[in-house]
Amino acid sequence: MGMMLPLRKKAIRLLPRASVRNVHIGRAKHISAKEAASLIKSGDWVDYGITHGQPDVFDEALACRRGELSRVKIRSCISLRPRAVLEQDATGAHFTMFSWHYSGYDRRKADKGIVHYIPVNLGEIPDYYRQNVPPVDVAVLKVRPKDANGYYNMGGTGLWQPAIVEVARKLIVEVNEQLPLAHHKSCAIHESQVDFVIDGDGASPVELPETPVTDVDAAVGRLVTAQIPDGACIQVGIGGMPNAVCSTLLDSDVKDLGIQTEMLTDSMVDLVLSGKVTGANKAIDRGRHVYSFALGGRKLYAALDDNPDFCCRPVEQTNMPHLIMRNDKVVSINNTTQIDLSGQAASESDGMRHISGTGGQLQFVRGAYASEGGKSFICLASTFEKGSVRKSRIVLNLTLGNTVTTPRSDTMYVVTEYGCVNLKGQSLADRARLLISIAHPDFREGLEREARHAGLVPKSYW
């Protein structure tokens, strides 16, 4: 595959120096969670960080102040536990949460109107903090205890937390010794950057259950694995299908894989432990397994804990296409929920109801294609059940209101259990023909008829 036109790095414009938090000399003050919550004022923007970085003890203390506060706006991402500020303020009269990406819990609260999605490309979020979004009045992040050199560690959650630390007017850390110790300087917060320290509850990181691999997932996994060469550098999204690809790779002859991914999963750690992943052919971070956040089970957290082979970089270093493409043979593997006959992939909503988020899907699709010898795969089951009715995920037109995550011009390989097709360079009529060929057989005739009726495909194509 030839390479696209070079992707230029977007200049990062930092806020004026006076707008960035001042580093103070001396130790941060150790206070109670109640005292920390008393620092929040009505109208403040508070940042809770991401996944395991979200505070729990502080959250409970802040919720207890709901009667004293109004218009407190909280940014977060992928809440893994119920948030007390939402549970104790069911109407959003005092607290409103804004999320960069929904978990199942966030989605349920969004249905109630108290969580709101912020559209993003995930790798750009650090820049949003530096120049676009309202300033962070108070940031509260969960960290490991301070080490002998005065550094707190973010525990396997990099993403944009370093940017939050950089710009927050006040920084509070909630200490929890159960977080894994992540390697990379961006995961370290020096005590001179911290204003206040509170004790956490010592709870273990939330373990994400492994998604069971279905027969459909396994069929998709085999089709994708057949396209992955030795020495490929992989990015794997969340879900059964990406896990199935990793499982199939374990049983394949493919060797010397590398990892540069947004999310590090259990199935990717299995590849590392098996010796399938060595990173030997990577152009950058050779021999290291690069991720921006880790989410999975105990085996995952144990594998990366104080292990320098795993490198937790901020998301602008893992997800930006002009950096992804520096490695050759990048392979991105992601899910979608619906795709139309032109190749538009809708991966984050069900009509107007938001489900998850854009995440890094589009950036990895673009970065993989720009990589020499790179490939991107959008995976989906051919059908789904709604009530007792089976429906096709390959459709003439997307569901009204569905958000396009990957535009048709970016879509490369599309994979269902019935086949794998490459849409790059194909006309609209040929795209429709190819996508119908991998739809469930029960829906192919209807899709052909719809495509002809809409004028998308001439009769001469069949």
Side-chain angles (χ1 to χ4, degrees):
M1 181 195 72
M3 196 165 69
M4 296 171 64
L5 291 174
L7 294 164
R8 293 184 179 275
K9 181 177 179 180
K10 181 182 182 294
I12 302 297
R13 300 192 302 276
L14 296 179
L15 291 170
R17 191 170 184 83
S19 299
V20 178
R21 60 179 278 99
N22 293 318
V23 173
H24 59 79
I25 304 300
R27 293 184 178 181
K29 185 178 180 182
H30 201 119
I31 60 176
S32 69
K34 182 177 180 180
E35 290 172 313
S38 72
L39 298 170
I40 306 302
K41 305 183 298 296
S42 291
D44 273 355
W45 276 96
V46 180
D47 212 293
Y48 267 18
I50 311 118
T51 61
H52 302 299
Q54 291 192 28
D56 296 317
V57 175
F58 176 88
D59 178 49
E60 293 280 355
L62 182 59
C64 290
R65 291 195 59 215
R66 64 191 180 281
E68 308 166 33
L69 296 169
S70 64
R71 297 174 290 104
V72 175
K73 301 169 287 291
I74 302 170
R75 291 192 199 97
S76 69
C77 183
I78 311 180
S79 300
L80 300 178
R81 292 187 171 97
R83 296 283 54 127
V85 290
L86 301 181
E87 296 299 317
Q88 298 184 34
D89 182 25
T91 64
H94 309 283
F95 305 107
T96 304
M97 192 162 281
F98 296 84
S99 177
W100 302 106
H101 196 103
Y102 285 176
S103 65
Y105 174 81
D106 297 323
R107 181 166 61 248
R108 292 190 295 274
K109 294 304 177 183
D111 290 341
K112 296 181 181 298
I114 56 176
V115 174
H116 306 282
Y117 177 65
I118 312 169
V120 299
N121 282 310
L122 220 69
E124 298 173 354
I125 294 178
D127 195 30
Y128 300 168
Y129 275 96
R130 293 176 179 124
Q131 65 175 350
N132 292 315
V133 302
V136 179
D137 295 300
V138 181
V140 193
L141 304 178
K142 190 185 291 184
V143 297
R144 285 180 53 84
K146 182 175 62 175
D147 66 17
N149 296 312
Y151 286 95
Y152 299 92
N153 187 277
M154 295 184 193
T157 304
L159 292 168
W160 50 93
Q161 289 193 159
I164 295 172
V165 171
E166 178 185 315
V167 304
R169 289 168 173 164
K170 284 190 181 72
L171 177 61
I172 301 168
V173 295
E174 181 176 305
V175 175
N176 186 327
E177 68 278 3
Q178 296 298 321
L179 295 178
L181 176 64
H183 277 260
H184 191 259
K185 61 183 180 181
S186 65
C187 288
I189 307 173
H190 193 260
E191 61 183 335
S192 63
Q193 298 173 283
V194 177
D195 296 292
F196 300 99
V197 180
I198 62 175
D199 293 326
D201 57 9
S204 297
V206 171
E207 294 185 36
L208 190 71
E210 286 198 46
T211 306
V213 175
T214 66
D215 291 342
V216 169
D217 296 334
V220 169
R222 288 190 293 271
L223 289 166
V224 174
T225 296
Q227 298 275 354
I228 299 177
D230 290 345
C233 184
I234 61 173
Q235 173 264 329
V236 174
I238 190 171
M241 284 185 181
N243 284 338
V245 174
C246 291
S247 296
T248 310
L249 281 168
L250 279 173
D251 298 326
S252 74
D253 294 328
V254 180
K255 60 182 183 294
D256 285 330
L257 295 170
I259 291 175
Q260 179 170 328
T261 191
E262 173 188 303
M263 176 178 170
L264 187 68
T265 65
D266 290 314
S267 58
M268 299 181 87
V269 166
D270 289 338
L271 287 172
V272 173
L273 297 178
S274 74
K276 289 285 183 183
V277 170
T278 64
N281 294 318
K282 292 175 69 177
I284 55 174
D285 291 309
R286 189 182 299 270
R288 303 190 78 188
H289 321 310
V290 176
Y291 68 101
S292 202
F293 77 105
L295 187 55
R298 189 173 304 175
K299 174 177 60 179
L300 168 65
Y301 305 136
L304 65 88
D305 184 36
D306 200 14
N307 186 344
D309 290 341
F310 289 89
C311 179
C312 183
R313 286 189 174 274
V315 73
E316 68 266 43
Q317 294 180 20
T318 59
N319 285 42
M320 297 301 281
H322 70 278
L323 299 179
I324 294 168
M325 67 181 283
R326 291 197 295 174
N327 284 308
D328 291 342
K329 295 190 285 190
V330 173
V331 175
S332 73
I333 305 158
N334 291 285
N335 285 335
T336 195
T337 57
Q338 190 179 60
I339 190 164
D340 72 12
L341 291 185
S342 74
Q344 297 185 112
S347 312
E348 58 192 274
S349 69
D350 181 11
M352 295 303 297
R353 182 177 183 244
H354 201 78
I355 301 297
S356 54
T358 301
Q361 181 176 123
L362 179 57
Q363 292 183 304
F364 273 98
V365 164
R366 289 176 170 169
Y369 185 72
S371 163
E372 185 66 35
K375 304 173 182 179
S376 72
F377 295 88
I378 298 294
C379 305
L380 69 163
S382 64
T383 62
F384 69 102
E385 302 284 334
K386 193 158 190 176
S388 59
V389 179
R390 186 173 63 175
K391 297 188 174 185
S392 177
R393 292 191 183 276
I394 297 176
V395 293
L396 175 66
N397 293 307
L398 298 177
T399 299
L400 182 64
N402 248 7
T403 301
V404 174
T405 305
T406 298
R408 63 189 186 182
S409 54
D410 287 296
T411 303
M412 191 179 185
Y413 288 99
V414 180
V415 192
T416 74
E417 69 271 31
Y418 292 104
C420 174
V421 296
N422 184 354
L423 301 188
K424 284 291 189 181
Q426 300 295 327
S427 69
L428 288 173
D430 283 325
R431 285 166 172 253
R433 179 178 56 81
L434 288 168
L435 288 166
I436 291 170
S437 76
I438 62 170
H440 191 284
D442 291 350
F443 293 93
R444 290 177 192 170
E445 184 178 342
L447 288 167
E448 290 171 9
R449 188 166 52 248
E450 289 178 341
R452 285 196 298 268
H453 182 73
L456 184 60
V457 176
K459 290 183 180 180
S460 60
Y461 270 66
W462 281 290

